[in-house]
Amino acid sequence: MNSENESALQREKFIKMTEYPVERLICRLAVPTVISMMITSIYNMSDTYFVGKLENVSATGAVGVVFPLMTIIQAVGFFFGHGSGNYMSRELGKHHLDTSKRMASVGFFSSVLCCAVLACIGMLFIEPLCLVLGSTNTILPFAKEYMTYILISAPVMAGSLVINNQLRFRGNALYAMFGITSGAILNIILDPVFIFVLDMGIKGAAAATAISQCVSLVLLIAGMLKSDAINISPRYFRPSVAVYKELVKGGLPSLARQGLGSVSTVMLNSAAKAFNDPAIAAVTIVSRFMTVLSSALIGFGQGYQPVCGFNYGAGLYDRVRRAFWFCVKSSVGFLLALSALGFIFAPQILMLFQADNQTTVQIGAAALRYQLLTLPLMSWVTMCNMTLQTVGKTSSATVIAMSRQGIMFIPCIIILPAVFDLNGLIASQPVADLLSLAISIPVMIAFLRELSRRQTSPSTETA
């Protein structure tokens, strides 16, 4: 593709991102990201669902034990994907094509190398790693089988997440959706085939996940090659301190959020271990189900992020403010409706996954209802975090990202179960949600006021 065609493509994209009505633009970009996030979350939950049909509560618990490792792998992918993608969207808003190309390649190849190292270390210490992540002796054999395949596919999983995020940050969400959802649908199809038809058990669930991740990566690369002029290539892989500094600025909040999410899951599993295997299975099911509900919110926010990045980079601060408030208002109403339905049918939802164990159903239904009470409030917290991360406000974004799964959750999971027993365990997340909301409100109000000042003072230099 010659430079004239490259410039034409980028000019067309710039006009679309900075002149179309933000409400219509966000909805247009959010449709593929919501679909891809929802399907991805459903396929993440499919392992829990089909393994639960083995009628072995220890096998279901093993999926929950390995989940923190998957969160760590995803943290690496999101760190490099969001770090490179955020920077790329701002640079494209400034018409800087060459720096965007370089960042795309550095983000992708760095993530693959990091997860290759992680996989080697994990395979060497697989049994102690399972125990650290909250496995009991009865869950351990299943956890080791499941973890082996997840470690093997770690570099592919991280690379897929990087390309997916880079595509959507530069406004090519449709290609990102196709790559992610195709792999997810394949995983849902392969799960029952490998688990039951080929009689591979929990090992089959992990193998299905690994294969689907490989397919996703191939399709995402194909989408990247067709989308526009910014492609990953070894010749653009020119890492430097300056490049990694920008990457860290955009990716640190995601790393903090996902990394602490892994730590919090380990702590949740450890706290549940004090009660029994059904308690671990219950929190596993609820965590996965809440991820599906939250994915719609995250997908909507992902449609907003490129709009935010392009317009912030172009100095159009009023469009950033309008886009933010549109997303908050829309997502609160949507999550209120989802929460009401989930609250009513909580026992039935748990029975879909573990109908043969009434203890798991009872604990899980109570935990689900607690978390649904605060789910709509997460609209504000999520949009605050995404906004601050996209515009490069690293410190503020990182604090908010760390609050829900770390700064607030870790003290809750330590203190509340010790004081209130099982009720304290299942109340830990909603209490942490309320505290996270309290942190995010003043931070975001200060930023919105800053945008208003910049809008009235056009000479102010863009951050």
Side-chain angles (χ1 to χ4, degrees), residues 175-407:
Y175 290 104
M177 179 197 75
F178 180 74
I180 289 294
T181 56
S182 297
I185 292 169
L186 178 63
N187 190 98
I188 294 169
I189 294 171
L190 292 180
D191 261 343
V193 174
F194 284 12
I195 294 171
F196 303 113
V197 177
L198 299 181
D199 198 26
M200 293 176 67
I202 192 171
K203 188 162 44 176
T209 298
I211 292 171
S212 68
Q213 289 294 331
C214 292
V215 171
S216 281
L217 180 60
V218 171
L219 293 175
L220 285 165
I221 291 173
M224 176 196 63
L225 293 172
K226 293 191 66 170
S227 61
D228 56 31
I230 305 172
N231 299 321
I232 58 171
S233 170
R235 75 172 185 268
Y236 292 125
F237 181 58
R238 299 193 299 271
S240 68
V241 173
V243 169
Y244 279 122
K245 183 179 177 181
E246 291 295 336
L247 198 150
V248 168
K249 282 176 63 179
L252 186 59
S254 294
L255 182 64
R257 181 177 59 250
Q258 292 291 124
L260 282 173
S262 178
V263 173
S264 67
T265 305
V266 171
M267 296 186 70
L268 187 62
N269 288 338
S270 298
K273 192 194 301 186
F275 299 97
N276 46 35
D277 283 6
I280 297 177
V283 297
T284 296
I285 294 168
V286 171
S287 295
R288 291 298 180 94
F289 184 76
M290 289 301 297
T291 300
V292 173
L293 298 188
S294 299
S295 66
L297 171 63
I298 294 170
F300 191 59
Q302 288 177 345
Y304 155 70
Q305 281 183 297
V307 178
C308 176
F310 266 81
N311 286 281
Y312 188 82
L316 302 174
Y317 305 120
D318 185 56
R319 284 174 62 84
V320 176
R321 292 173 71 249
R322 279 175 51 202
F324 170 78
W325 284 114
F326 170 72
C327 288
V328 170
K329 293 173 184 177
S330 302
S331 55
V332 166
F334 179 70
L335 290 181
L336 277 171
L338 285 182
S339 297
L341 289 172
F343 197 92
I344 294 169
F345 297 106
Q348 289 81 1
I349 291 168
L350 268 293
M351 289 176 68
L352 283 173
F353 297 89
Q354 205 73 57
D356 64 314
N357 194 299
Q358 289 305 306
T359 304
T360 298
V361 172
Q362 184 179 1
I363 295 171
L368 180 57
R369 283 172 169 157
Y370 270 98
Q371 292 198 34
L372 288 172
L373 289 173
T374 57
L375 179 62
L377 303 178
M378 291 303 99
S379 298
W380 174 272
V381 177
T382 300
M383 295 306 164
C384 289
N385 183 48
M386 287 185 163
T387 301
L388 296 169
Q389 182 176 2
T390 301
V391 303
K393 300 286 185 181
T394 309
S395 300
S396 300
T398 302
V399 169
I400 293 176
M402 292 172 65
S403 62
R404 184 172 187 262
Q405 297 287 354
I407 297 171

